[in-house]
Amino acid sequence: MVTLVGIEDSGFMNIMASLELPENTTALVLGCGFGRKNPSFQKYFDFFKENKNIPCVLDADIFYYKEILNLLTERGNFVLTPHPKEFSALLENCGFGKFSVQEIVEKRIELIKLFCGKFKDSVLVLKGAVVLIGAWSKKEGRVKIYLNPYGKNSLAKGGTGDILSGLIASLLAQGYDCVNAAVTASLAHSFASEKVKNNFALTPQLLIEKISEL
């Protein structure tokens, strides 16, 4: 069961809405449409700190909050899904320094290893033409990076990233671990987009329909 939190009525595809988090929450997505100055952000951050067993996908505006450093330091069980510009903000807020989008594109693997080496209990999904998924491997004692080369230009359209976040969260709610949820969702996201022949015709709603056909 999906619930949009923070509003009284979603008005979208009959999805349930609530001003508060449901008591039986099993996975969360935070950041999509959240805004960079949301007065309620501390409430959600406190919820994460008190419920460390609940996995969460962090996306979009959430990377611009400086408080994200304390959140990632205090707990793991996160999947972060930034695009390069958001990753730039995330790196700066986490104390790694300032990087331009161009630098991030050129040093993607190096920066993913740097980030995942510090936050070993979280998984990073760096969106782009080739999606890179980084995660610390306790067994191997190093950061492992998975590449998804099946993306299409149409997935750069607004709203498609929100669907990826939702896919990951749905798998987390079903018991997938963070790495498998990220990898599986990323592939499903890409394969569904290939079912639409015309890149310009892909809309978030159509992408959802194509995912159901996989």
Side-chain angles (χ1 to χ4, degrees):
M1 184 70 69
V2 176
T3 302
L4 294 179
V5 179
I7 57 177
E8 293 183 355
D9 182 12
S10 71
F12 178 71
M13 297 180 68
N14 296 318
I15 295 178
M16 293 178 60
S18 172
L19 292 175
E20 301 296 333
L21 287 164
E23 293 182 1
N24 58 345
T25 297
T26 53
L28 282 170
V29 177
L30 182 65
C32 305
F34 193 71
R36 300 183 187 180
K37 295 182 179 181
N38 192 313
S40 300
F41 84 91
Q42 193 61 55
K43 175 178 70 173
Y44 298 109
F45 278 28
D46 290 342
F47 176 86
F48 291 141
K49 293 176 182 179
E50 296 168 4
N51 298 273
K52 297 181 179 181
N53 61 313
I54 296 178
C56 178
V57 181
L58 300 178
D59 189 23
D61 294 327
I62 207 67
F63 301 125
Y64 293 91
Y65 286 80
K66 293 183 179 181
E67 292 82 359
I68 195 170
L69 172 59
N70 290 333
L71 184 62
L72 294 173
T73 301
E74 289 193 25
R75 60 156 284 180
N77 219 8
F78 286 118
V79 179
L80 301 89
T81 61
H83 56 54
K85 186 176 181 180
E86 292 165 346
F87 191 35
S88 174
L90 176 63
L91 288 170
E92 183 175 356
N93 285 330
C94 288
F96 293 104
K98 294 185 177 181
F99 296 89
S100 67
V101 171
Q102 184 63 33
E103 288 176 313
I104 286 176
V105 171
E106 294 174 350
K107 302 177 180 179
R108 290 180 300 168
I109 292 180
E110 176 186 338
L111 292 174
I112 290 173
K113 288 182 177 179
L114 188 66
F115 183 87
C116 294
K118 179 175 182 178
F119 301 107
K120 294 182 171 66
D121 295 321
S122 292
V123 174
L124 180 72
V125 179
L126 181 58
K127 293 178 285 195
V130 175
V131 179
L132 301 180
I133 301 171
W136 177 262
S137 171
K138 293 181 180 179
K139 182 178 181 181
E140 299 182 22
R142 65 182 180 90
V143 175
K144 295 184 68 174
I145 295 180
Y146 305 82
L147 282 73
N148 173 8
Y150 299 109
K152 295 182 65 178
N153 293 338
S154 57
L155 291 176
K157 187 173 295 185
T160 57
D162 297 346
I163 294 173
L164 174 61
S165 296
L167 273 173
I168 296 172
S170 70
L171 295 175
L172 292 172
Q174 294 177 60
Y176 281 61
D177 62 53
C178 289
V179 173
N180 283 314
V183 171
T184 303
S186 180
L187 289 173
H189 194 242
S190 297
F191 293 157
S193 71
E194 292 181 346
K195 289 181 170 289
V196 181
K197 294 182 180 180
N198 187 339
N199 284 348
F200 299 103
L202 183 65
T203 63
Q205 290 85 353
L206 181 57
L207 182 58
I208 291 173
E209 293 176 13
K210 295 304 178 182
I211 290 171
S212 69
E213 296 175 5
L214 294 175

